[in-house]
Amino acid sequence: MTGPKDDRTLSRLTPLDDAYRSCERTCAVLRLYCGDMHPSEVTKRLGLKPTHQIVLGEESPPNSLGLKRVGKVNGWFLSSEEFVESKDVRRHLDWLLAKLEPNSEVLRELQAGPGVRMSVECPWWSRYGTGGPTLWPEQMRVLAALNLECSLGFAYYGPQEPAESAQSDLPRDSGPS
Amino acid sequence: MTVFCLWCGDGSPVLWPEQMQGLAALNLECSFEFTYYPEEELDEIVDGETIGNLGEFIP
């Protein structure tokens, strides 16, 4: 999706950079809240396994703090974080969109379902309190074609390493905001 | 060339498909600059008192 330089990329200011020095951590997550539909139905229809899911009324496995919670919504999440080693969010979006683009018709059908809400979220944790990601037209074209909004969640946790509590922010699963 | 979006503080700007479709059609990248300010400093910036201290946002 984001290939080597060609005529279209020559005019762009921000080349791909896997080191992306201003970024502490980033990824791309499809957050799909599926109304009354069980997340396993989303898995079946998309032919993709989620990296995380929550089921209405069911207790989740304990998190890193040993805490469990009961799902308040049905949610299906696919995150690039474990699969892409890059601080450039475009790499993460490329991975996620390559999974989703072949399923564009199914996504459209799901979007038409009652109570279904979905979004691509890109948490972007700054290393120094400044900086920011760049999206290229290649990612935006596919996001638009899939009728997916894209949110960029900025955060800065100071010079210390991100705290354990921050780990639980990825992905958010408290329901559509 | 780039489309540059400044964002002060925590939180999440959102692009909708309509904006992304337009940017993609124009072959424009969209670049975000996130700047974190302590809350009291952010209030001053919003009031316009220290806007000159924002500096130049040139990549």
Side-chain angles (χ1 to χ4, degrees):
Chain A
M1 200 170 295
T2 306
K5 276 201 165 189
D6 59 31
D7 288 347
R8 292 170 305 149
T9 65
L10 288 175
S11 66
R12 299 181 192 163
L13 276 177
T14 317
L16 286 162
D17 179 7
D18 289 322
Y20 221 92
R21 288 178 52 80
S22 59
C23 180
E24 177 68 35
R25 184 178 176 187
T26 191
C27 63
V29 186
L30 174 69
R31 297 166 60 203
L32 197 164
Y33 298 97
C34 38
D36 293 333
M37 191 190 310
H38 194 285
S40 62
E41 179 65 17
V42 177
T43 301
K44 185 177 158 189
R45 290 173 68 173
L46 283 175
L48 295 170
K49 286 178 69 175
T51 50
H52 180 65
Q53 69 176 30
I54 50 175
V55 180
L56 179 66
E58 284 190 14
E59 200 172 75
S60 67
N63 65 13
S64 58
L65 299 174
L67 301 173
K68 296 178 181 178
R69 52 185 165 186
V70 176
K72 294 180 181 173
V73 292
N74 288 311
W76 189 99
F77 308 92
L78 182 59
S79 170
S80 67
E81 188 165 37
E82 292 177 19
F83 302 98
V84 179
E85 283 192 36
S86 175
K87 300 286 177 64
D88 193 318
V89 77
R90 289 167 289 190
R91 298 287 197 199
H92 290 266
L93 280 167
D94 283 351
W95 180 91
L96 182 65
L97 296 173
K99 299 276 184 196
L100 299 179
E101 196 173 18
N103 296 291
S104 58
E105 281 188 31
V106 178
L107 272 179
R108 285 282 188 172
E109 289 166 12
L110 288 168
Q111 286 169 1
V116 174
R117 297 286 181 273
M118 61 181 81
S119 175
V120 169
E121 182 176 278
C122 302
W124 200 91
W125 296 359
S126 173
R127 178 172 293 171
Y128 308 114
T130 59
T134 295
L135 303 183
W136 267 7
E138 286 74 14
Q139 290 91 40
M140 293 190 285
R141 179 185 58 77
V142 180
L143 285 161
L146 296 174
N147 191 34
L148 288 169
E149 66 177 28
C150 182
S151 71
L152 298 150
F154 294 127
Y156 175 57
Y157 294 100
Q160 303 288 325
E161 286 293 306
E164 186 87 22
S165 60
Q167 296 264 347
S168 63
D169 287 349
L170 288 175
R172 284 193 333 217
D173 58 4
S174 55
S177 52
Chain B
M1 60 187 80
T2 189
V3 170
F4 179 78
C5 304
L6 176 64
W7 183 269
C8 294
D10 288 330
S12 308
V14 178
L15 297 179
W16 268 14
E18 290 77 6
Q19 290 100 41
M20 292 190 285
Q21 186 176 38
L23 288 161
L26 295 170
N27 189 33
L28 286 170
E29 67 175 31
C30 184
S31 187
F32 291 85
E33 175 75 20
F34 158 63
T35 303
Y36 172 80
Y37 295 99
E39 203 164 308
E40 58 277 15
E41 196 175 332
L42 185 59
D43 288 342
E44 289 181 4
I45 289 166
V46 170
D47 290 343
E49 292 178 15
T50 60
I51 196 80
N53 294 334
L54 286 172
E56 292 182 358
F57 292 99
I58 296 172

